[in-house]
Amino acid sequence: MSQRTLIAVVMLGWLFCGPAGAQTVEEENREAVRGAAPNKTDLPDLIRAAELIVNKTNDFRVKEGQKAVKANEKLVATAQYFAGFMAKTDEYGHTADGNSPAQRATKHGYDYCIILENIAYAYDSRGFTAEQLVDEFFNGWKHSPEHRKNMLDPDVFDTAVAVARSEKTGYYYAVQMFGRLKSQAIRFEIENNAGEAVSYTIGKRTFNLPPRMIRTHTQCRPSEVKFRWPGDEKTDATVKPAKDDKFVVIKSAGQFAVKKE
């Protein structure tokens, strides 16, 4: 047994993507005997700890080929509220306050398209320095597949981290959030000028588009659009839309094609 006595890190990952978001939850529980809380004079700088976690996460993202994320003040307020709530009540879980991560973000003014949340708690009878807390939380998330996935999500732009301590139990609670605003969603149009209906797929969904119709899509994440022309079972054209793109399906000399306007 190591010298450091640690209760948790207990970690859960919760994903929201748009108003009809999916959810994943993973749990890993480890228990140990709890000692007395440290003196207040030995308490770490929790603001510094949160900043260090953001920095280490961005270093990790860049090393893994992802862009760095920036702290968003509304997400920061969300994370600070929830870490403080768990520290005050010693209630733990993504819905400990009766709200989902996305609901908390919305209440704090973050108009989300994607919301990701990692949480954890830690305890040591000898206390922590800021750097030790950073190592406990950052490494715990990094080595958990679901939390690592959140940390390396390619489609988020914003982040927030908060750490709070329970005066009653001495537990430290950490919240890490990632987000993408609705204003950063990918909106694009597909127009059918081919004279007959065509179909295409985005992810696992198939769409039929009658002639002389335009359909507008708004996606939280970039997705390929795969077209299938009438009478042909294979994929005949693939495009990957960017924000405000417009694609037009045409038919010339009996051949279908899709062009970008």
Side-chain angles (χ1 to χ4, degrees), residues 53 56-57 60 134-142 151:
I53 292 172
K56 292 194 72 169
T57 299
F60 178 44
V134 171
D135 288 342
E136 294 290 349
F137 292 132
F138 174 80
N139 290 327
W141 288 326
K142 178 181 176 180
M151 295 170 81

Side-chain angles (χ1 to χ4, degrees), residues 52-97:
L52 290 174
I53 292 172
V54 171
N55 293 341
K56 292 194 72 169
T57 299
N58 272 331
D59 290 343
F60 178 44
R61 285 178 63 88
V62 172
K63 182 179 178 181
E64 295 295 319
Q66 302 299 339
K67 62 185 179 297
V69 287
K70 295 182 179 181
N72 177 282
E73 62 179 9
K74 293 177 181 177
L75 272 190
V76 169
T78 307
Q80 289 176 339
Y81 154 75
F82 193 46
F85 175 88
M86 290 190 290
K88 182 178 180 179
T89 63
D90 283 303
E91 294 289 335
Y92 179 81
H94 287 287
T95 58
D97 67 341

